[in-house]
Amino acid sequence: LQASRNPTANVATEAAAAAVASEPRILEELHKILAEMSPECRRRSLSNLFSQSQRLILEAFVLGHRRAACQHQVPLATPENIAGESLVVKAKVEPSKRKRKAEIDNELPAGLIANPQSNGCYYSAQVALGSLRLLSRSDRDLPRVKAFHAVLMDIHGKLAGTQGAESDFELQFRSAVEGALLSHDVDARALGLRFYVSLKPTWASRPLRTRPFNFANEADFQMGVSAFQRLEASRGQ
């Protein structure tokens, strides 16, 4: 080897061997430098600049580093490559999740929504009446959510004949909800009843949507009714 032909280099090589054997940080730096080289340049450097003992030490370090990386699922790469690898893994997982959600949605009756999670699939019910949207809480029990949907459909039926006039809407909405809850022997909190408004005025380029309002909270209910009335009034303006 080149180091063995030069006494000074040989002393430096043996000192380096002792240093790298006792200092993992040096091994990590060497590993990074070698990883950035081309295969041919890396081969020449290992052959010409390292003794056999150094190569064995470095080889053991690299193998151990790879095993640890596999166990923790951390790629041996720069931060940029790590970010890229994360995106690749996500790209492989997300389409599968979307496909599964689409498959579940296709199997569900209209008005039921699936939301697959790592701990199971959650379901919720949603019913539309004009610009008004009624929502139930999410639950992993599909039969229970189907019962929620039946309550929302009952509310829908009771409201279907109303005109949404400002003077009447609050009373009509409250009466329809309370009547449906009584018929199904459930309360608004257990149902997780919320509502929001979604409509597209003539002057808007896309639909306007409010946040969900909690029917069981009187202040929130009043805010939701007010939002509904204001947006309905702005529809043709």
Side-chain angles (χ1 to χ4, degrees), residues 129 134 151-152 154-160 162 169-184 193 215:
L129 176 62
L134 305 176
V151 180
L152 298 187
D154 196 359
I155 298 171
H156 177 282
K158 294 179 185 305
L159 277 173
T162 67
F169 173 72
E170 178 182 346
L171 179 61
Q172 293 166 343
F173 187 24
R174 193 188 296 274
S175 176
V177 171
E178 291 177 350
L181 295 177
L182 183 61
S183 297
H184 293 268
L193 179 59
F215 183 90

Side-chain angles (χ1 to χ4, degrees), residues 49-236:
L49 301 178
F50 292 80
S51 67
Q52 179 65 14
S53 60
Q54 288 175 324
R55 286 196 293 272
L56 291 173
I57 292 171
L58 186 57
E59 179 182 5
F61 171 81
V62 171
L63 291 175
H65 205 324
R66 285 177 179 170
R67 282 194 296 270
C70 290
Q71 291 172 357
H72 294 86
Q73 297 181 344
V74 178
L76 292 176
T78 62
E80 291 80 7
N81 288 337
I82 290 174
E85 181 68 19
S86 297
L87 292 176
V88 170
V89 172
K90 185 176 181 180
K92 291 177 181 177
V93 172
E94 288 301 323
S96 174
K97 183 177 179 181
R98 287 196 298 269
K99 181 179 178 182
R100 176 59 180 154
K101 183 181 186 319
E103 290 173 349
I104 296 173
D105 285 340
N106 289 335
E107 298 170 358
L108 293 175
L112 296 185
I113 302 170
N115 183 19
Q117 299 292 327
S118 59
N119 62 336
C121 188
Y122 287 79
Y123 304 93
S124 61
Q126 177 170 322
V127 171
L129 176 62
S131 61
L132 190 66
R133 304 290 187 272
L134 305 176
L135 305 170
S136 78
R137 68 179 176 86
S138 297
D139 199 289
R140 286 165 50 173
D141 187 340
L142 182 55
R144 180 178 298 167
V145 176
K146 287 182 177 180
F148 293 165
H149 182 254
V151 180
L152 298 187
M153 288 302 297
D154 196 359
I155 298 171
H156 177 282
K158 294 179 185 305
L159 277 173
T162 67
Q163 301 300 313
E166 286 191 27
S167 58
D168 299 329
F169 173 72
E170 178 182 346
L171 179 61
Q172 293 166 343
F173 187 24
R174 193 188 296 274
S175 176
V177 171
E178 291 177 350
L181 295 177
L182 183 61
S183 297
H184 293 268
D185 192 24
V186 66
D187 62 57
R189 293 186 186 278
L191 180 63
L193 179 59
R194 293 163 297 145
F195 64 97
Y196 68 91
V197 185
S198 177
L199 59 80
K200 185 179 181 301
T202 55
W203 48 265
S205 60
R206 58 183 181 178
L208 303 179
R209 174 176 170 172
T210 69
R211 69 170 177 83
F213 299 97
N214 185 356
F215 183 90
N217 182 297
E218 182 61 26
D220 217 32
F221 172 76
Q222 292 293 338
M223 290 178 63
V225 168
S226 177
F228 171 81
Q229 293 171 339
R230 290 199 308 272
L231 288 175
E232 282 291 324
S234 69
R235 183 192 291 272

